Amino acid sequence: QVQLVESGGGLVQPGGFLRLSCVVSGRIFSFNVMGWYRQAPGKVRELVAGITSGGRTNYAESVKGRFTISRDNAKNTVYLQMNSLKPEDTAVYYCYLDGPGYRIWGQGTQVTVSS
């Protein structure tokens, strides 16, 4: 059974940084895209960033230039480096993995940006 385990969330001041990690446990034979969504209270879940198996990336307009998604295949891990954090980045961040005909979600990690 494949699971995604996130870590790295927490409380940070505006202008600060955090790095989220998402480790894939279990065996997967291929995936198309991995990435991150986020959901703030009272709002719909939105895509933050994604990375394909070929290394192509895409970002939400609101995080371009501040967030960077990357992956380490040897460690089965995807990272989200978040810099210049703003209060509006406060949300639960969810890792996801898209394979042939399925999507797997992580349990989510809370990111709070506040002074």
Side-chain angles (χ1 to χ4, degrees):
Q1 184 176 358
V2 178
Q3 291 184 319
L4 306 181
V5 181
E6 302 119 326
S7 61
L11 173 64
V12 63
Q13 292 186 342
F17 63 90
L18 286 172
R19 188 174 81 156
L20 305 183
S21 299
C22 175
V23 179
V24 182
S25 66
R27 176 171 291 184
I28 58 171
F29 296 98
S30 65
F31 74 91
N32 295 327
V33 182
M34 287 189 69
W36 299 87
Y37 275 72
R38 67 185 180 187
Q39 187 167 20
K43 295 189 176 181
V44 299
R45 191 173 294 190
E46 63 174 356
L47 178 67
V48 177
I51 185 166
T52 70
S53 55
R56 299 177 73 175
T57 59
N58 67 289
Y59 297 92
E61 285 296 325
S62 59
V63 306
K64 280 183 179 179
R66 299 188 298 122
F67 291 11
T68 302
I69 189 169
S70 62
R71 75 174 196 267
D72 184 331
N73 290 336
K75 296 182 178 180
N76 286 338
T77 302
V78 171
Y79 303 99
L80 186 67
Q81 179 67 43
M82 306 186 294
N83 298 329
S84 302
L85 283 162
K86 304 175 181 180
E88 51 263 43
D89 294 317
T90 295
V92 177
Y93 284 69
Y94 297 91
C95 178
Y96 75 96
L97 180 154
D98 282 345
Y102 64 87
R103 171 171 284 186
I104 300 170
W105 291 98
Q107 81 285 355
T109 185
Q110 176 70 46
V111 171
T112 302
V113 185
S114 175
S115 55

